[in-house]
Amino acid sequence: MSLDDETEVILQKATFGAGCFWCVEAIFERLDGVADVGVGYSGGNSDNPTYDEVCGGATGHAEVIRILFNPEIITYEKLLKVFWSSHDPTTLNRQGGDIGTQYRSVIFHHTGEQRKMAEKLKIDLEKNKIFKEPVVTEISPLINYFAAENYHQNYYRLNSTAPYCLA
């Protein structure tokens, strides 16, 4: 095969916050077309925050996942649908027992197209009354992303029998 016959697939990025990043990472890494999922922090006001700083609530960051995906296999729209069905987007700054702004429901868009798609689907959820309560998911431009510490990466895969993961 010559180089002219090869087509290069350009992976795209999506960044979502939907509660504890350990659990959200486990959901998305199982999807066909997802090349990689990393966990980190976005949306805050300090550089290179630590887990303890983010959990303290003072940095403004959310726990997020960053997804690298092949748009020829899985669309951004499909990722959004998984996002909204994998957590409760009607609770402000909380998912289950995890409480604080770091656990907020948030979509950090990378492009204008991602913003439009996220806003359209959020409006559709409201219009079709998919949830009993209003959807409070924040939709914001991605202004920063900091990878979480190594011990958080692939947490569920490495610790699936830990009590938190079994809850």
Side-chain angles (χ1 to χ4, degrees):
M1 177 186 309
S2 74
L3 289 178
D4 294 333
D5 295 335
E6 293 180 18
T7 57
E8 183 178 332
V9 175
I10 297 175
L11 298 178
Q12 294 182 11
K13 294 177 186 172
T15 304
F16 303 138
C20 173
F21 50 30
W22 296 340
C23 302
V24 182
E25 175 190 43
I27 293 166
F28 283 88
E29 67 185 5
R30 296 177 179 167
L31 299 175
D32 287 337
V34 170
D36 187 52
V37 181
V39 300
Y41 316 109
S42 289
N45 52 30
S46 66
D47 288 341
N48 298 311
T50 66
Y51 181 70
D52 289 338
E53 291 169 340
V54 171
C55 287
T59 70
H61 291 87
E63 288 191 13
V64 298
I65 59 165
R66 172 168 280 179
I67 304 164
L68 291 177
F69 67 99
N70 180 339
E72 294 178 11
I73 298 172
I74 190 166
T75 64
Y76 185 70
E77 180 177 4
K78 173 66 176 172
L79 293 173
L80 285 171
K81 289 178 179 180
V82 172
F83 165 78
W84 268 307
S85 66
S86 65
H87 76 295
D88 183 352
T90 69
T91 56
L92 186 63
N93 301 328
R94 176 186 191 141
Q95 288 300 309
D98 295 325
I99 301 169
T101 58
Q102 69 270 28
Y103 300 114
R104 66 189 180 269
S105 176
V106 59
I107 297 165
F108 289 109
H109 57 83
H110 294 252
T111 66
E113 280 301 310
Q114 286 186 355
R115 178 188 54 79
K116 289 177 191 172
M117 178 62 65
E119 289 173 350
K120 177 191 177 305
L121 291 180
K122 182 178 177 181
I123 290 168
D124 289 349
L125 290 172
E126 292 286 336
K127 186 171 64 175
N128 295 315
K129 302 205 181 297
I130 301 301
F131 299 99
K132 290 181 182 181
E133 300 296 324
V135 173
V136 297
T137 301
E138 172 189 333
I139 300 172
S140 298
L142 180 76
I143 55 171
N144 57 30
Y145 172 83
F146 303 98
E149 297 82 351
N150 284 338
Y151 69 93
H152 291 296
Q153 307 298 327
N154 302 304
Y155 189 88
Y156 181 81
R157 192 172 341 126
L158 299 173
N159 299 279
S160 63
T161 58
Y164 186 87
C165 296
L166 295 174

